[in-house]
Amino acid sequence: MPVYCAGFEDPAGGLARPCIFAHDGNGGRARPTGKRCMLCCLEKLQQALSSRVAKGNLHRLLKHWRRIGSPTYEAAFGLGSLCALSTNEHCLLRARAGEGCDFDLQTSWLHKKKQRLEHFVMGRPIPAASPDISQGSQKYLKAKAKWHKGNRDFRLHWRYRQYRVKEPFANIKTRCKRRTYWRGRNAIVRGMRRAWWRARRILKTKYLAAMAAGPPYNRSGLKWAVEEGLLETGIQVPLADGAVQLCQPRWSFLTPAGDVLYFESLDDRKSSKTKRLQSAKVSINNAFGRPEYAIDREEYVHDWSSRMIRNGVIFSPPYVDSMLERLGFKLQLLREYSAWPAGASGLLQIRSTTGSAAAGYWAALIPIEGRVYLLDAFQRGPALIENMQHAVQVYTTYAMVPF
């Protein structure tokens, strides 16, 4: 007399469900050797998966159900003991049953298999130059690719320029008859392409280090790096000598337009008398684009605190003018704005977020290629001024002009 499966054994101790895993796939009860089949008992399933023969029987059973289109195939994964397995084990069992895995082409590596094999043999192709690259950047790369005294990176720039011209390396010839992965035309092309990508990575590191070194900046070189995609606009690189000054960090800021700015910042405590005094010194440095001025402790205690601010109000721009005399500059009041003042290195403004003179502080404005940037020490970074006439009319503005 045949023995039928006693049904699915509930691990929580509930009532057993009827077995539906008959071999014919019609939803009847299976005929196991023991009390329950492997799809109704977790213990028997573990024994079957640890046995090569029993695992093969399970694979053939699933493959048979899938081939005849029986709903028992999906029920085995959702209602049987297979539901206790992990997702990876489910994918493996479905693959053994002949079911193709449904991978998303956007996230799967399968659609890139041929491309990765080509890159492994021929190297990653060198991208073409951007059509929007300026004439100045082209001249800069051409000049840097030539050897002259003091140009230590000419080999990197030469390799960057010449290998891009030779892409796709159709004229490469070799006498090597034994073409293997290490010899022949493919190996030569792969070596040149790898050398180009290596040069690109090294140049990116060098230009980031140049920004971290601080002023004076190689603006034409950094502009070329931005147009080539070596550097991203909007980055803020801390200066090597300013990172240790936590209360007054120094940065090199790369604007979205590709301009490089020296920027000293303070924290946002505008009500602090010390910070508002420091904003004058910081704004002078930001206007010059380099650390030009510093306040020693004795000068700060006896002069700045008594002459710059009285009763919490900034009242003495002439004292800043006397401080600029050390650098060969003076302040000139700017009542209206039609064009940038002739000979002015920068502008200094007394700004206030509340409209009260008691909360005033100093900020700097500098021009670069027709664009004017606001360097506010209490902000996170420089800001582009769209309407200069309005900015001059609202805030008290002084031009820094030489004697």
Side-chain angles (χ1 to χ4, degrees), residues 60 63 177:
R60 284 189 291 271
K63 188 174 184 180
K177 298 181 180 179

Side-chain angles (χ1 to χ4, degrees), residues 244-266:
V244 296
Q245 303 180 10
L246 299 179
C247 61
Q248 186 180 330
R250 299 174 179 176
W251 309 85
S252 292
F253 196 90
L254 190 60
T255 65
D259 302 324
V260 187
L261 302 177
Y262 170 82
F263 182 62
E264 289 187 17
S265 61
L266 300 169

Side-chain angles (χ1 to χ4, degrees), residues 253-280:
F253 196 90
L254 190 60
T255 65
D259 302 324
V260 187
L261 302 177
Y262 170 82
F263 182 62
E264 289 187 17
S265 61
L266 300 169
D267 59 27
D268 56 353
R269 293 179 295 175
K270 297 184 180 65
S271 60
S272 173
K273 181 179 178 180
T274 303
K275 294 299 180 183
R276 290 166 59 198
L277 288 174
Q278 290 288 335
S279 68

Side-chain angles (χ1 to χ4, degrees), residues 209-217 239-241 252 262:
M211 288 188 63
Y217 298 109
L239 267 63
D241 59 344
S252 292
Y262 170 82

Side-chain angles (χ1 to χ4, degrees), residues 299-318:
E299 180 184 5
Y300 165 73
V301 172
H302 295 287
D303 293 333
W304 283 75
S305 59
S306 60
R307 298 172 184 261
M308 282 287 295
I309 293 181
R310 180 177 298 173
N311 297 327
V313 179
I314 292 180
F315 69 99
S316 58

Side-chain angles (χ1 to χ4, degrees), residues 134-154:
S134 61
Q135 293 291 336
S137 297
Q138 295 179 11
K139 293 180 180 179
Y140 170 82
L141 179 60
K142 185 177 180 180
K144 292 291 290 184
K146 295 181 180 179
W147 182 88
H148 57 84
K149 188 176 181 180
N151 186 12
R152 299 180 179 180
D153 300 330
F154 83 96

